[in-house]
Amino acid sequence: MLASEDRFDAVPAEPNGTAVLLLAGSSGRVERERAELLSTTGARVRAIRWFGGADQRPSPHEVPLELFAGQIGELRRDADRVVLFGTSFGAEAVLTTAAYATVDGVIAVAPSSVVWAGAHDGAWSSHWTLGGRPLPFVAFDAYWTPRSDPPAFVSLYEASLQLDAAATDAARIPVENIAGEVLLVAGGDDQVWPSDRFASEVEAVRTDRGLATTVVTHPGAGHRLLLPGELPAAGGARMLRGGSPEADAELGARAWPEIRRLLGDGALVPRG
């Protein structure tokens, strides 16, 4: 059970039977404004804090996937469909969770195709655990140094993927296990990690198996998505994120019809 300050439910006036679990990335915040926006589709949206809250892990380090599975179970009591929506580390979370739990759809913004390392008190381990055991993860290149100030971490992630091919393969998220549709949204100028590359890798695995997958990209957009009506986020860790408010908003405008469709907006004609 989440503490009241660690969750927010946006309930539409006319629910359409879809429930959404909404996860932020490394900010750890409860995305209330985005939850309200998504609820305009008719979906009931629950935004949660998944680390740093009451009785939670203090950082994205060995976070149990059972936390998200429990929320899926709660949402399913009052919904016909459950869709997961996550950004950055939250996108990694929803893709990984959906590979082991049953959901009706996944929306992954600035996604990863592998599980990454997380640190707590100087100890490195997986971002996620399942059944109390850390999932395989990609470790970071200890010899990497930033090339800019503020740093662009995309080269760190790219270098780390090359360290150990076997470890990288073991850390791959088994996205072929996700039965529901997957929508991937990525910016081509992401300076945090190569989300467009990751989206392409996820798409390749799933389309090879005939699984419903949609990718929305924009070459000039960065790590942060701006959906219609959203304002650029302020604060966060000091780093380059790429993109521009204009390009990030253009990516959001491209993604919004697909998001509405996947959330069951009756105003749009579903794909058939």
Side-chain angles (χ1 to χ4, degrees):
M1 179 69 69
L2 292 173
S4 58
E5 64 270 21
D6 295 329
R7 57 178 279 184
F8 172 77
D9 286 288
V11 181
E14 298 183 9
N16 65 9
T18 297
V20 179
L21 181 63
L22 178 62
L23 307 181
S26 59
S27 70
R29 62 177 174 266
V30 178
E31 293 199 306
R32 290 173 172 81
E33 293 80 8
R34 180 164 287 180
E36 293 281 12
L37 173 62
L38 296 177
S39 73
T40 64
T41 66
R44 174 188 172 188
V45 184
R46 175 173 295 176
I48 69 167
R49 189 187 316 278
W50 53 273
F51 70 92
D55 299 320
Q56 291 183 345
R57 298 288 294 167
S59 64
H61 174 269
E62 296 192 355
V63 175
L65 293 182
E66 288 83 358
L67 167 65
F68 310 122
Q71 291 299 304
I72 293 168
E74 286 188 22
L75 292 172
R76 201 173 286 284
R77 294 172 192 166
D78 301 308
D80 301 318
R81 303 172 65 247
V82 175
V83 175
L84 309 185
F85 188 129
T87 299
S88 191
F89 284 175
E92 181 187 331
V94 298
L95 288 167
T96 306
T97 299
Y100 298 99
T102 301
V103 296
D104 299 281
V106 176
I107 301 169
V109 177
S112 174
S113 60
V114 299
V115 170
W116 287 96
H120 177 60
D121 288 341
W124 290 92
S125 184
S126 178
H127 273 165
W128 323 110
T129 65
L130 182 62
R133 302 185 64 175
L135 294 182
F137 62 93
V138 176
F140 288 109
D141 183 348
Y143 298 100
W144 177 85
T145 56
R147 304 169 186 169
S148 61
D149 184 23
F153 288 104
V154 63
S155 63
L156 169 61
Y157 283 95
E158 290 172 335
S160 300
L161 290 166
Q162 305 304 316
L163 286 177
D164 185 330
T168 296
D169 185 63
R172 186 183 67 82
I173 300 170
V175 293
E176 64 274 15
N177 293 343
I178 304 173
E181 181 176 352
V182 173
L183 170 60
L184 305 155
V185 183
D189 188 42
D190 191 337
Q191 295 300 307
V192 177
W193 65 17
S195 59
D196 56 345
R197 165 184 171 176
F198 292 144
S200 295
E201 291 173 350
V202 171
E203 179 187 30
V205 170
R206 288 181 55 81
T207 55
D208 186 56
R209 291 161 173 80
L211 299 169
T213 310
T214 301
V215 179
V216 179
T217 62
H218 185 293
H223 194 69
R224 285 176 166 171
L225 176 72
L226 289 177
L227 293 175
E230 292 185 333
L231 298 175
R238 186 173 175 272
M239 68 176 77
L240 293 179
R241 293 179 173 83
S244 67
E246 295 77 17
D248 298 347
E250 288 174 11
L251 176 60
R254 292 181 183 183
W256 184 233
E258 297 292 346
I259 291 170
R260 289 175 58 196
R261 178 184 58 79
L262 192 53
L263 297 190
D265 190 332
L268 296 181
V269 177
R271 289 182 177 176

